C-alpha cells in the first residue's frame, strides 16, 4: 500500500534561519507531488507541485522553493524564514481525478 | 477569485441533527471530491464523484454532484460528535496533472 511520510511534525525556527521540510512517498512510482500551506484551519493554498524528478511548478511566488531530488522525495525549503511563513504545511501525492493522500503536516512557527 | 465557494463557513449543531453543506462554482469540473480534516492532521479523502447527478452514500453521509458538474453537496444525517471537523471540497478541472482546486472549507462542530 502507498504511504506518505512528512517530517518534522512541529518546528520552531528564528526569523532569518533556513528551512527544510521533507516528504517521501512509498509504494508507488512517479507520483505527482504537492506542497500546500494552510492558515488557521482554513482552505489549502497550493505552493508547488511536481510531476517528475526535477520538474517543479510554482503557484505562488514567495520566500519558498521546492525540489524533487528523487522520484518519491519532495523538499520544501527557504533560505531565510519570515514571520509570515508561520503556517501549517502539508505534502500530498495523487492525481487530481482520483484524489490526494496527504501527509500529517508540519506546524511551523517562526519566532 | 475563489473557484469553489463553500457554505456555510461555520456550522455548530446539536448531536442528532441533520445538516447540509454546499460547494458551488461557475466552472465545470471533471470530478469533485470531499475531504475531512481534524485539527493538526492532513485532510482525508471521503469520496469522489464523477458523473453529473451522481449520489454516493458513506454511512450517514450523502454526497451529490450537480447535474451540470458545477456544484456538490454533503448531507449528514443524525450528526455525531465524531463528525466534527473541517470539510473541504476539491474539484479536478481535467483528468490529467492539473492540481485540484480546493474550497476554503466548512468547519463543523457537533455538540453532544
Amino acid at each position: 500500500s502507498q504511504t506518505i511520510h512528512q517530517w518534522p511534525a512541529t518546528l520552531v525556527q528564528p526569523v532569518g534561519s533556513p528551512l527544510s521540510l521533507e516528504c517521501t512517498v512509498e509504494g508507488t512510482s512517479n507520483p505527482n507531488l504537492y506542497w500546500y500551506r494552510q492558515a488557521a484551519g482554513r482552505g489549502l493554498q497550493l505552493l508547488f507541485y511536481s510531476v517528475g524528478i526535477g520538474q517543479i511548478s510554482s503557484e505562488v511566488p514567495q520566500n519558498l522553493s521546492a525540489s524533487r531530488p528523487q522520484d518519491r522525495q519532495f523538499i520544501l525549503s527557504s533560505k531565510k524564514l519570515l514571520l509570515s511563513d508561520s503556517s501549517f504545511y502539508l505534502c500530498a501525492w495523487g492525481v487530481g481525478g482520483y484524489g490526494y493522500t496527504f501527509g500529517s503536516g508540519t506546524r511551523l512557527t517562526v519566532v | 477569485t475563489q473557484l469553489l465557494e463553500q457554505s456555510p463557513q461555520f456550522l455548530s449543531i446539536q448531536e442528532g441533527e441533520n445538516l447540509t453543506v454546499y460547494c458551488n462554482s461557475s466552472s465545470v469540473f471533471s470530478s469533485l471530491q470531499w475531504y475531512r480534516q481534524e485539527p493538526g492532521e492532513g485532510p482525508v479523502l471521503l469520496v469522489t464523484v464523477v458523473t453529473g447527478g451522481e449520489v454516493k452514500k458513506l454511512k450517514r453521509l450523502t454526497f451529490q454532484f450537480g447535474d451540470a458538474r458545477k456544484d456538490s453537496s454533503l448531507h449528514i444525517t443524525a450528526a455525531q460528535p465524531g463528525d466534527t471537523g473541517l470539510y473541504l471540497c476539491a474539484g479536478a478541472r481535467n483528468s490529467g496533472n492539473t492540481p485540484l482546486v480546493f474550497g476554503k472549507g466548512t468547519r463543523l462542530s457537533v455538540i453532544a
Side-chain angles (χ1 to χ4, degrees):
Chain A
S1 63
Q2 301 91 356
T3 57
I4 181 168
H5 303 281
Q6 186 180 344
W7 68 92
T10 60
L11 192 58
V12 179
Q13 292 283 95
V15 169
S17 65
L19 172 73
S20 180
L21 302 181
E22 188 163 345
C23 173
T24 59
V25 179
E26 296 178 355
T28 186
S29 298
N30 196 32
N32 289 352
L33 297 170
Y34 309 87
W35 277 111
Y36 284 89
R37 180 166 64 187
Q38 184 177 35
R42 297 300 288 152
L44 304 179
Q45 179 189 29
L46 179 64
L47 300 176
F48 302 94
Y49 70 98
S50 171
V51 299
I53 295 175
Q55 300 179 61
I56 308 294
S57 296
S58 174
E59 290 292 304
V60 182
Q62 53 199 316
N63 187 40
L64 301 169
S65 62
S67 62
R68 185 169 177 173
Q70 300 180 40
D71 181 43
R72 290 171 286 179
Q73 184 184 30
F74 204 23
I75 297 173
L76 182 68
S77 304
S78 174
K79 292 183 179 178
K80 289 186 178 181
L81 284 168
L82 307 172
L83 287 174
S84 58
D85 291 324
S86 294
S87 193
F88 189 53
Y89 291 85
L90 288 159
C91 179
W93 78 273
V95 177
Y98 300 96
Y100 292 173
T101 299
F102 284 86
S104 53
T106 296
R107 170 69 60 193
L108 172 65
T109 303
V110 182
V111 296
Chain B
T1 303
Q2 184 68 25
L3 286 180
L4 280 171
E5 298 285 346
Q6 290 191 244
S7 62
Q9 292 185 38
F10 302 94
L11 187 57
S12 181
I13 61 171
Q14 295 291 323
E15 181 177 3
E17 292 183 353
N18 301 331
L19 67 113
T20 303
V21 297
Y22 301 92
C23 176
N24 295 302
S25 177
S26 58
S27 302
V28 175
F29 292 97
S30 61
S31 68
L32 201 141
Q33 297 150 21
W34 286 91
Y35 295 78
R36 180 169 64 209
Q37 184 181 22
E38 299 190 15
E41 299 181 8
V44 175
L45 178 65
L46 297 175
V47 76
T48 298
V49 285
V50 179
T51 306
E54 181 177 4
V55 177
K56 282 191 174 179
K57 292 189 176 183
L58 185 65
K59 296 184 180 179
R60 294 176 294 100
L61 278 61
T62 301
F63 305 85
Q64 185 164 7
F65 201 10
D67 292 340
R69 291 187 288 126
K70 292 182 179 181
D71 52 81
S72 181
S73 63
L74 159 59
H75 181 80
I76 301 179
T77 304
Q80 299 177 0
D83 296 326
T84 294
L86 180 68
Y87 288 82
L88 296 159
C89 68
R93 283 172 285 189
N94 55 53
S95 58
N97 292 324
T98 305
L100 291 174
V101 175
F102 279 86
K104 292 186 176 181
T106 292
R107 179 158 298 282
L108 172 65
S109 178
V110 182
I111 302 167

